[in-house]
Amino acid sequence: MYIRRKIDSYLKEWKENPDKLPLIIKGARQIGKTESILHFAHAHYKSVVYINFVTDVKFRKIVEDGYNADVIVKNISRLKDDARFEEGKTLIVFDEIQDFPDICTSLKFFKIDGRFDVICSGSLLGINYQKIESNSVGYKVDYEMHSLDFEEFLWAKSVDESQIEDMLRHIAKGVPFSSVELSFFNDLFFDYCLVGGMPKMVSSYLQRNTFENILFLQRQLLNDYHEDVRKYVEGMDQTRILNVFTHIPVQLAKENKKFQISKVASGARFKDYRGCIEWIQDSGIVNVCYCMLFPELPLKGNYDDSKYKLYFGDTGLLIASLDDESQDDLRENKNFGVYKGALFENIIAEALRKQGYSLFYYKREDSTLEEDFFVRTKRSLVPVEVKANNGRSKSLATLINSDHYPDISRGIKLCNANVGYENNIYTIPYFCAFLLKRWLREVEW
């Protein structure tokens, strides 16, 4: 069973571009990159030549005679006699390029040659991706893929486009959801948070209509991530990255959710971990949320890269990493308040990143003002507060009403509540978080 993904429409648009560049699809492992590529490839090309540099290491020899497209095609055909190369009708897929980044040097030559389309894909590119960047600058286009977002999950549950457009209408028009609608979407959202967006887990959930085996699969994937770090990282950085990864749930459980390197290991210093944070972010495993210097536009450059929060890229994996007592409380009582609201924040951080937002928060030095996230419209900075319930939002009100923050005129509160608007604060249910960017594109403030 193929699960519809947002990359499907992107790949069709890419193919229809007469001046297309070779495409690199990057992201964490097991998010469905290969499955989506091959589903698209077999539906739109007469011939698909698939090369996997992990399972077929012999294909690493195809560049021994140079990077010219003719030479590589000839060498592929020598090693894979069933490969068919028809001009204008063939897609070459280079998979697992993190194990052979040199292949990306050939992208320039395939673009110049122009006879065959090329898609590359890789998991946990990390430091190797810097080599890919230098080898193919100007001759490739990147697509960052994530695990399923809630909209893709709704598609998989047969929620059609008209229902999703109706959800957007509720936000845009300020029309509250009915009690039936709230119950329906809240139940689906709870299931999505537990299952996460990894295709293997979603497929199991859809086929069985239960959570059977989901936790086992999630914890196995977490183990696989650990193995990938051991495989692709050398020396002390390996230990440091694993230390960071394993401490994320622990530090999210604290009132002060800022990630503190000093708590990771005895004598740990930020300067020793800077490259590790970048690697784990590039891998797609985590989302990094930086502390703004001041809540004003522009966002880029207006942050302290030594102060940040770390969130899991997939909330299902965060939940799978919790202790057994928290697991029981969450699953039996649907208590997302475990871990002091960390799950709520992680869910929203994930939703924002999957919409293409970079993540920023703000905390005043004296701790008298703190805001979870910030996004923007055409002209305004918009604070986003994540609440476990529909309580007062003191910091949000301060940012909106104070003359010290001229870029802020309205705010968003995401919580377990219905749609509402009061005192320039929009209240929006968690399950609508995936629609924020679509909605904010249309507003005039």
Side-chain angles (χ1 to χ4, degrees):
M1 176 185 67
Y2 180 72
I3 299 174
R4 177 187 171 194
R5 303 297 302 275
K6 290 184 175 178
I7 195 175
D8 298 344
S9 57
Y10 176 86
L11 289 171
K12 291 175 185 176
E13 292 173 6
W14 172 80
K15 184 181 187 303
E16 291 166 2
N17 183 352
D19 195 34
K20 73 177 75 63
L21 295 170
L23 173 63
I24 295 181
I25 298 173
K26 57 178 181 173
R29 70 178 294 163
Q30 292 192 31
I31 57 172
K33 297 183 297 296
T34 301
E35 185 177 14
S36 292
I37 292 168
L38 293 179
H39 177 80
F40 158 78
H42 291 300
H44 293 89
Y45 289 87
K46 185 175 181 181
S47 176
V48 178
V49 179
Y50 176 76
I51 307 294
N52 185 310
F53 291 113
V54 169
T55 59
D56 293 311
V57 295
K58 64 184 179 183
F59 285 104
R60 300 180 192 183
K61 299 178 181 179
I62 61 178
V63 299
E64 286 182 348
D65 302 316
Y67 296 96
N68 182 278
D70 269 334
V71 170
I72 290 177
V73 167
K74 181 179 178 181
N75 284 338
I76 291 174
S77 66
R78 175 170 56 85
L79 297 171
K80 190 179 180 73
D81 62 2
D82 62 343
R84 297 291 177 265
F85 296 91
E86 293 189 44
E87 184 174 340
K89 298 178 180 179
T90 299
L91 175 66
I92 303 173
V93 180
F94 294 123
D95 202 1
E96 305 289 8
I97 60 171
Q98 77 280 351
D99 274 45
F100 191 59
D102 284 354
I103 192 61
C104 293
T105 302
S106 70
L107 299 184
K108 172 180 179 180
F109 300 96
F110 274 106
K111 169 58 182 171
I112 293 171
D113 181 89
R115 290 176 295 157
F116 313 113
D117 292 346
V118 179
I119 295 179
C120 299
S121 176
S123 299
L124 296 178
L125 301 181
I127 294 168
N128 279 341
Y129 192 72
Q130 304 306 316
K131 185 174 182 179
I132 293 170
E133 285 280 280
S134 62
N135 285 352
S136 52
V137 62
Y139 290 95
K140 52 87 180 174
V141 61
D142 295 327
Y143 183 93
E144 185 178 6
M145 191 173 176
H146 305 277
S147 61
L148 278 79
D149 68 6
F150 187 51
E151 183 171 19
E152 291 170 312
F153 186 82
L154 290 176
W155 292 343
K157 290 292 290 182
S158 301
V159 174
D160 62 35
E161 301 286 355
S162 64
Q163 289 174 279
I164 292 171
E165 286 301 311
D166 190 57
M167 294 170 71
L168 181 59
R169 182 186 66 85
H170 279 282
I171 301 174
K173 302 294 184 182
V175 179
F177 290 90
S178 70
S179 58
V180 173
E181 290 172 320
L182 273 180
S183 178
F184 175 74
F185 288 118
N186 276 325
D187 285 347
L188 282 176
F189 191 68
F190 178 76
D191 287 2
Y192 168 69
C193 293
L194 284 185
V195 172
M198 293 297 180
K200 189 172 184 179
M201 291 59 164
V202 175
S203 293
S204 176
Y205 163 84
L206 293 173
Q207 290 167 6
R208 304 179 188 210
N209 199 30
T210 70
F211 298 101
E212 182 185 350
N213 212 40
I214 297 296
L215 183 58
F216 170 80
L217 293 172
Q218 290 168 329
R219 287 180 169 170
Q220 182 58 53
L221 180 54
L222 290 172
N223 290 334
D224 291 343
Y225 281 164
H226 282 241
E227 290 303 315
D228 278 344
V229 172
R230 294 187 181 97
K231 178 178 179 181
Y232 294 112
V233 184
E234 298 177 353
M236 283 298 295
D237 279 351
Q238 181 182 117
T239 301
R240 289 170 180 154
I241 288 171
L242 289 174
N243 280 343
V244 169
F245 187 48
T246 55
H247 276 80
I248 294 174
V250 178
Q251 298 211 24
L252 281 178
K254 300 181 182 301
E255 287 294 341
N256 176 16
K257 294 180 176 59
K258 186 186 84 169
F259 196 85
Q260 296 175 285
I261 290 296
S262 60
K263 305 294 184 183
V264 167
S266 177
R269 298 174 299 177
F270 172 74
K271 69 176 185 178
D272 297 326
Y273 278 77
R274 183 186 296 271
C276 300
I277 301 301
E278 292 173 351
W279 190 95
I280 203 170
Q281 180 180 27
D282 287 344
S283 75
I285 297 174
V286 304
N287 294 321
V288 182
C289 182
Y290 289 104
C291 183
M292 296 178 70
L293 298 172
F294 190 78
E296 64 182 357
L297 295 173
L299 286 169
K300 290 193 174 179
N302 178 22
Y303 64 89
D304 184 343
D305 66 358
S306 68
K307 296 178 181 178
Y308 50 85
K309 300 177 185 179
L310 297 183
Y311 298 103
F312 271 64
D314 186 272
T315 301
L317 296 183
L318 170 60
I319 291 174
S321 71
L322 301 184
D323 55 76
D324 290 339
E325 291 75 18
S326 296
Q327 291 278 347
D328 292 342
D329 189 14
L330 175 63
R331 294 172 188 276
E332 291 176 20
N333 304 315
K334 294 190 175 183
N335 179 15
F336 270 88
V338 298
Y339 269 56
K340 297 183 175 66
L343 296 183
F344 289 116
E345 283 191 32
N346 202 97
I347 289 162
I348 301 308
E350 177 186 349
L352 293 176
R353 276 296 295 127
K354 288 178 176 179
Q355 291 171 77
Y357 285 115
S358 297
L359 301 181
F360 302 98
Y361 76 101
Y362 178 69
K363 185 172 184 178
R364 194 184 280 165
E365 288 294 333
D366 61 7
S367 300
T368 58
L369 180 67
E370 183 173 6
E371 198 55 77
D372 299 316
F373 301 104
F374 289 84
V375 295
R376 65 166 302 170
T377 64
K378 297 166 191 168
R379 294 183 287 271
S380 299
L381 181 65
V382 183
V384 178
E385 186 154 317
V386 181
K387 301 284 284 185
N389 51 55
N390 194 10
R392 291 179 64 246
S393 303
K394 184 179 177 181
S395 290
L396 200 53
T398 300
L399 288 166
I400 293 167
N401 297 323
S402 173
D403 293 336
H404 294 297
Y405 314 105
D407 291 332
I408 299 172
S409 62
R410 293 172 177 83
I412 295 170
K413 179 170 63 176
L414 290 160
C415 59
N416 187 23
N418 212 327
V419 171
Y421 179 73
E422 185 179 13
N423 298 324
N424 292 317
I425 296 174
Y426 293 88
T427 300
I428 298 173
Y430 291 124
F431 61 75
C432 288
F434 74 93
L435 292 166
L436 286 187
K437 193 166 193 175
R438 219 173 299 178
W439 169 51
L440 291 176
R441 275 200 206 104
E442 307 302 323
V443 301
E444 296 300 323
W445 39 275

